[in-house]
Amino acid sequence: MSQQSAVAIKGLQKRYGDVQAVKDVSLEINAGEIFGLLGPNGAGKTTTIRCLCTLALPDAGTLEVMGVSVVENPRQVRQRLGYIAQEVALDKVLTGRELLELQAAIYHLPSKLAQGRITQMIELLELTDWADQKTGTYSGGLKKRLDLAAGLLHQPDVLVLDEPTVGLDIESRSAVWRFLRQLQAAGTTILITSHYLEEVDALADRVAIIDQGEVISSGTPAELKANVGGERITLRIREFTPLNEAEKASQMLQGLPVVQEVIVNSAQGNSLNLVVESEADALMTVQKALKEAGLPTFGIAQSQPSLDDVYLAATGRTIMDAEVAAASKRDMKKETKQQNMKR
């Protein structure tokens, strides 16, 4: 681990029974940066951070936080880490202040120091009006802010957040974003796992994209988008395009000088994802070619590369496609299990 690294993960592997949750993950996170771990549900993001946060024992690989081995010195690592899980777990009968007092006691903070930090967290996270109300009355946004406060009481060097804004409204989401930027400005290193592309793009200094338990791409958001090159045209021949018609259109469009690549996205009704030259009038060229070939256009749009395009270029599917496939797989397993129980 280099002197300026806050987190170093090398060759991480983790299996749960027959499922290889993490195959090979290596990351190095610089001190003071916001690092985004991006990928669909089931890609291995949560397992990676559970191993990092001493909540799961890795099968192989090394993990360090501020130069301290996670496996060999888990107690020291917990003092340096703050972990905010995706699911907020609060005791509904406690007030926000009482919950923070309990958290301070768990970390053995001296009473005077604890009270000062609790007051500071309540003010920073704009919880003053609700601090003495029971958490059972809190909205989702307030619960998430209180959860952040609890994870920061011991002033960790590294803050790990698993899907920090999932389920939040726009206002609460913006409040969390502002606070994370304030933490970074104060020197805290932040690791965020998310499947919200725009969140990672807006917040992260660097990003790693994980798929099926492996890191498939990493760099700054700008670098990753620049590496895939060109602009994007998303095209639907029909609302539900037959595969043979999509493939025919793909072959025809690949022959155009302005088109660099065409991907047929079967998970989205055989839509076509085109990589086109940025300087050319590609949209008009594509529309003209379709018309001359006698192919209809149900929908067409042009855009700059996104992180989803990075994922698409690496895997041949979007993150949404991957999530839909993972959800279908889980549903099938659940249905099979229920059928077996009935027999």
Side-chain angles (χ1 to χ4, degrees):
M1 177 170 168
S2 66
Q3 189 175 359
Q4 294 184 335
S5 295
V7 173
I9 301 173
K10 185 175 181 180
L12 174 64
Q13 297 178 30
K14 179 64 181 177
R15 177 183 290 275
Y16 294 104
D18 296 332
V19 179
Q20 186 76 47
V22 177
K23 294 179 183 177
D24 182 13
V25 168
S26 296
L27 302 170
E28 188 162 349
I29 303 174
N30 299 324
E33 76 176 339
I34 297 180
F35 191 95
L37 190 58
L38 180 65
N41 289 327
K45 304 187 307 295
T46 295
T47 298
T48 297
I49 64 170
R50 283 182 59 82
C51 290
L52 179 66
C53 296
T54 75
L55 298 174
L57 189 65
D59 297 330
T62 60
L63 304 95
E64 295 181 3
V65 175
M66 306 304 294
V68 179
S69 169
V70 171
V71 175
E72 296 175 6
N73 299 290
R75 185 182 294 272
Q76 289 184 42
V77 167
R78 292 185 197 115
Q79 292 294 329
R80 296 169 180 264
L81 273 178
Y83 173 50
I84 312 298
Q86 180 176 345
E87 298 295 330
V88 178
L90 304 177
D91 190 329
K92 296 180 180 180
V93 302
L94 295 178
T95 66
R97 191 182 304 276
E98 288 169 342
L99 186 137
L100 293 177
E101 289 171 347
L102 175 62
Q103 185 76 3
I106 291 172
Y107 276 99
H108 306 289
L109 296 181
S111 178
K112 187 175 180 179
L113 176 62
Q115 290 306 316
R117 289 188 183 174
I118 288 170
T119 299
Q120 180 187 31
M121 286 295 104
I122 287 173
E123 291 175 353
L124 281 174
L125 285 157
E126 301 175 6
L127 289 166
T128 304
D129 294 340
W130 297 276
D132 296 305
Q133 296 182 22
K134 292 185 177 180
T135 63
T137 66
Y138 283 20
S139 66
L142 288 174
K143 289 178 180 178
K144 180 60 71 174
R145 280 190 257 170
L146 181 61
D147 209 25
L148 277 168
L152 290 165
L153 274 181
H154 62 300
Q155 294 185 343
D157 297 306
V158 179
L159 178 64
V160 180
L161 302 105
D162 190 8
E163 304 286 356
T165 61
V166 66
L168 298 187
D169 57 46
I170 294 175
E171 184 179 352
S172 296
R173 211 169 168 198
S174 296
V176 171
W177 285 17
R178 287 195 302 271
F179 183 65
L180 293 180
R181 290 191 180 101
Q182 291 173 10
L183 284 178
Q184 183 190 24
T188 304
T189 303
I190 302 171
L191 169 60
I192 299 175
T193 73
S194 181
H195 62 280
Y196 288 153
L197 301 170
E198 73 280 6
E199 180 165 78
V200 173
D201 205 351
L203 287 174
D205 299 302
R206 290 191 301 127
V207 176
I209 299 179
I210 188 170
D211 181 63
Q212 298 182 19
E214 297 180 282
V215 174
I216 60 173
S217 192
S218 62
T220 69
E223 287 171 348
L224 293 177
K225 289 183 287 186
N227 286 342
V228 297
E231 294 185 358
R232 266 50 189 170
I233 290 179
T234 303
L235 165 67
R236 283 181 179 271
I237 303 298
R238 306 181 192 279
E239 185 174 7
F240 301 101
T241 309
L243 180 59
N244 64 337
E245 194 169 36
E247 289 176 342
K248 176 184 175 182
S250 174
Q251 291 176 3
M252 182 271 294
L253 292 170
Q254 283 176 345
L256 298 177
V258 298
V259 176
Q260 299 172 355
E261 184 181 5
V262 181
I263 297 173
V264 178
N265 194 331
S266 58
Q268 294 186 7
N270 293 323
S271 65
L272 300 173
N273 297 90
L274 283 65
V275 181
V276 298
E277 293 182 3
S278 301
E279 303 301 324
D281 195 354
L283 189 62
M284 288 186 62
T285 302
V286 168
Q287 288 176 310
K288 182 180 177 182
L290 289 169
K291 186 176 180 180
E292 291 176 350
L295 292 170
T297 304
F298 177 78
I300 189 168
Q302 187 170 7
S303 62
Q304 296 294 319
S306 68
L307 289 177
D308 206 21
D309 291 316
V310 177
Y311 187 85
L312 177 65
T315 66
R317 56 182 179 164
T318 66
I319 287 182
M320 182 181 293
D321 296 337
E323 294 210 343
V324 170
S328 298
K329 189 175 181 180
R330 287 194 300 270
D331 290 343
M332 288 179 63
K333 285 185 176 180
K334 185 178 180 180
E335 184 177 346
T336 301
K337 185 177 180 181
Q338 290 174 342
Q339 290 175 350
N340 290 339
M341 290 176 65
K342 291 178 181 179
R343 292 174 182 171

